[in-house]
Amino acid sequence: MIENVVYPAYLDADYSRSEGRRVPEDEAVEDPSVDEIAKAVQQVGYDAVIERDKSYPREYEQRGRVLVQGAEDATKNDLVQAIAAYVAILRD
């Protein structure tokens, strides 16, 4: 089973592209949590597993990461953009 890994840094509006943000700045959110990301993954239609003891290689703090299972048909870029859109909706 192929798993995609989504770190909070991919969606963080405080980060630049070179620091790890993978979505456009207008789609990014402030300080996303792994819980929000996991809920968004489930809204997109995939299974999510939260790993809290992991950190993005470019960060020092451990914010965790989310493993996305069952997304073999989606590209990582499309997946991350869909998750970012749902995180923004969940915050409204």
Side-chain angles (χ1 to χ4, degrees):
M1 177 183 292
I2 297 173
E3 295 177 334
N4 283 304
V5 178
V6 178
Y7 290 98
Y10 292 176
L11 313 174
D12 200 330
D14 295 332
Y15 283 42
S16 66
R17 289 281 189 162
S18 64
E19 291 172 321
R21 182 174 41 85
R22 289 194 174 204
V23 296
E25 194 169 12
D26 61 333
E27 295 177 18
V29 295
E30 296 274 332
D31 197 30
S33 70
V34 289
D35 295 319
E36 289 176 318
I37 294 171
K39 286 180 187 175
V41 167
Q42 291 170 346
Q43 290 291 321
V44 174
Y46 301 115
D47 295 325
V49 176
I50 296 174
E51 292 184 333
R52 296 188 189 278
D53 61 338
K54 302 293 183 181
S55 65
Y56 186 58
R58 296 179 189 176
E59 292 181 323
Y60 295 108
E61 64 181 276
Q62 288 187 348
R63 294 202 293 177
R65 67 182 184 184
V66 177
L67 300 179
V68 181
Q69 299 173 337
E72 291 88 11
D73 57 335
T75 64
K76 186 157 188 168
N77 188 42
D78 291 341
L79 180 65
V80 171
Q81 287 188 349
I83 292 169
Y86 273 102
V87 169
I89 290 170
L90 289 172
R91 287 192 172 186
D92 288 340

